[in-house]
Amino acid sequence: AQKITQTQPGMFVQEKEAVTLDCTYDTSDPSYGLFWYKQPSSGEMIFLIYQGSYDQQNATEGRYSLNFQKARKSANLVISASQLGDSAMYFCAMRGNSGNTPLVFGKGTRLSVIA
Amino acid sequence: DSGVTQTPKHLITATGQRVTLRCSPRSGDLSVYWYQQSLDQGLQFLIQYYNGEERAKGNILERFSAQQFPDLHSELNLSSLELGDSALYFCASSVAGDLTGEQFFGPGTRLTVL
């Protein structure tokens, strides 16, 4: 079974600062994928970034980067130069083995960006 | 816009009733997933279909059922509704053979049971 743990229910960050959202995972699958999704107050789920368990480099997408530490089973999301529009719920998720498997989500972190 | 459509956007109904939620995946996506997001349970996987066949089952109640039709759209049927079924129901789709497994989410259907 897979499990995702997000220990920060809420975070505050000053506009233009960087922020790290924590995510640890547990799985017995040798191959897996890790995802981050953003859910603004409007409710939709927006895909941000993906990291494969065998990827040698940490994933980056614009202002988003994933700090992947396989031995520690952590996949923290780093948002650089925070913007007011980054205020939202952020979910870490994983899937095991193959591509067509369901996602397991953490409970989420609510990020609030302060002007 | 993810390309996944869900109808209706909002649904208000009474306890004991039955409702049907509809999802159209992105063009070409064969897999459809249903998730339930509630305040107490968070985001939970309910059921997955792949090219018309049930592929995986999660925490789906016996009162709930789903199917995927030949045109690949999917419906989630919720019956004998209870107050606790009030939640945001998401449909997601993914590409067959995409090893990343990225799932594209629809806008969700917000179900309120009174």
Side-chain angles (χ1 to χ4, degrees):
Chain A
Q2 291 137 8
K3 186 178 178 182
I4 294 283
T5 302
Q6 293 181 255
T7 56
Q8 307 153 312
M11 292 274 290
F12 288 89
V13 65
Q14 202 77 31
E15 198 178 6
K16 299 178 187 173
E17 298 290 310
V19 63
T20 298
L21 306 183
D22 294 341
C23 171
T24 58
Y25 61 91
D26 193 20
T27 181
S28 55
D29 291 330
S31 171
Y32 49 89
L34 296 154
F35 302 80
W36 278 91
Y37 283 85
K38 172 184 177 181
Q39 187 178 39
S41 57
S42 52
E44 73 265 34
M45 295 289 286
I46 302 168
F47 166 75
L48 295 178
I49 196 165
Y50 162 82
Q51 178 83 45
S53 58
Y54 288 110
D55 292 342
Q56 295 295 318
Q57 295 198 331
N58 286 344
T60 60
E61 289 286 347
R63 294 186 299 109
Y64 304 108
S65 60
L66 201 152
N67 185 358
F68 180 47
Q69 297 187 45
K70 195 170 183 177
R72 299 177 69 176
K73 293 191 173 180
S74 74
N76 298 339
L77 176 71
V78 180
I79 306 175
S80 63
S82 297
Q83 303 171 355
L84 295 177
D86 294 334
S87 295
M89 279 290 287
Y90 288 81
F91 291 95
C92 181
M94 75 177 300
R95 58 109 185 117
N97 278 335
S98 70
N100 285 302
T101 52
L103 293 174
V104 174
F105 286 87
K107 293 196 178 298
T109 296
R110 181 171 297 282
L111 178 67
S112 299
V113 180
I114 306 165
Chain B
D1 185 348
S2 68
V4 178
T5 61
Q6 288 186 250
T7 56
K9 195 170 174 64
H10 300 279
L11 200 46
I12 302 174
T13 189
T15 54
Q17 295 298 304
R18 172 190 168 94
V19 297
T20 297
L21 314 184
R22 183 188 167 103
C23 166
S24 292
R26 293 187 326 151
S27 177
D29 286 359
L30 299 180
S31 272
V32 169
Y33 310 78
W34 286 97
Y35 294 90
Q36 178 195 57
Q37 185 178 28
S38 61
L39 282 174
D40 53 342
Q41 298 289 333
L43 259 162
Q44 289 200 100
F45 165 67
L46 295 178
I47 196 164
Q48 176 195 2
Y49 279 82
Y50 178 80
N51 203 21
E53 307 231 336
E54 183 183 302
R55 172 67 74 92
K57 229 172 184 176
N59 298 322
I60 187 165
L61 299 172
E62 283 193 15
R63 300 183 285 108
F64 296 1
S65 65
Q67 53 185 326
Q68 186 179 28
F69 295 86
D71 66 353
L72 300 178
H73 91 271
S74 177
E75 292 181 358
L76 178 67
N77 300 296
L78 316 177
S79 61
S80 303
L81 285 167
E82 302 175 359
L83 296 177
D85 297 328
S86 295
L88 187 53
Y89 291 84
F90 285 107
C91 166
S93 71
S94 66
V95 178
D98 178 3
L99 293 180
T100 70
E102 180 183 347
Q103 294 180 16
F104 298 86
F105 281 74
T109 293
R110 186 169 294 280
L111 173 67
T112 302
V113 182
L114 300 175

